[in-house]
Amino acid sequence: MDVTIFGQDQDIFYMQEAYKEAELAFEHNEVPVGAVVVDEFGTIIARGYNQVELRYSQVAHAEIEAINRACQLKKNWRLTGCWLYVTLEPCMMCMGFIKLARIAGVFYGARSPLFGYKLDNKAVSSVYQDGVLIVGDLCQQKIGDLMRRFFKKHRVRGG
């Protein structure tokens, strides 16, 4: 990791907190993705984990859950100066939401082989142009292991 905001040890700490949220998702048979929002002072102000199955909603991603909670806490939809730590590379929907919330930057753990922003990032998409710093591969091995365990456990047999 070349970029740090709060210092490498602190960035790893925040990702480990996001990982705890991913473990909650795993325990609830959700794809194990967790997120935390950190304010400009380095305080975790919100947490979230995937709740797509529980809420029967494609938008109940960990990032959106955490950002919504942070907005409620701050009583403001703008999270200027805040950072998001998420265990899996955000999808295009979440990146749009992150940008709209004015998040300063995103640290993610493992890359998403299906829906990650880098896969969706086309030159014509303004969602990824300036404004949001994105740093990947923080604690990726541990997070990748949790994802592999989940999909091995939930893999549909025969088709």
Side-chain angles (χ1 to χ4, degrees):
M1 178 180 72
D2 299 313
V3 177
T4 109
I5 300 306
F6 298 101
Q8 186 172 7
D9 289 344
Q10 203 61 27
D11 290 333
I12 290 170
F13 169 77
Y14 298 135
M15 188 59 73
Q16 289 171 340
E17 292 299 302
Y19 183 84
K20 289 177 185 177
E21 296 298 309
E23 289 178 315
L24 287 172
F26 185 93
E27 291 170 14
H28 291 97
N29 292 317
E30 297 277 356
V31 175
V33 181
V36 296
V37 176
V38 178
D39 70 12
E40 62 271 23
F41 306 109
T43 303
I44 295 174
I45 60 170
R47 299 168 179 271
Y49 63 89
N50 265 5
Q51 297 181 38
V52 171
E53 301 296 333
L54 175 70
R55 295 178 185 247
Y56 307 108
S57 174
Q58 297 88 343
V59 299
H61 288 193
E63 300 94 317
I64 292 174
E65 295 294 315
I67 289 170
N68 279 334
R69 287 186 180 104
C71 290
Q72 293 300 308
L73 177 80
K74 291 180 85 58
K75 297 189 182 335
N76 193 336
W77 62 267
R78 294 174 193 88
L79 297 177
T80 307
C82 292
W83 293 83
L84 181 73
Y85 290 76
V86 60
T87 57
L88 188 66
E89 179 182 9
C91 68
M92 187 175 216
M93 173 185 70
C94 289
M95 281 303 301
F97 195 67
I98 288 162
K99 190 167 184 175
L100 289 170
R102 311 296 197 264
I103 296 281
V106 176
F107 281 81
Y108 70 83
R111 295 178 188 189
S112 175
L114 297 176
F115 301 109
Y117 85 95
K118 287 184 180 178
L119 295 174
D120 290 334
N121 186 3
K122 306 291 183 214
V124 296
S125 174
S126 64
V127 173
Y128 305 109
Q129 297 172 5
D130 67 27
V132 178
L133 175 65
I134 301 164
V135 180
D137 305 329
L138 183 61
C139 304
Q140 68 178 337
Q141 184 64 46
K142 181 178 181 179
I143 293 163
D145 290 345
L146 181 64
M147 296 294 288
R148 282 186 287 280
R149 277 193 0 242
F150 176 82
F151 285 108
K152 184 177 181 181
K153 177 181 172 185
H154 293 279
R155 190 163 283 129
V156 176
R157 303 219 188 275

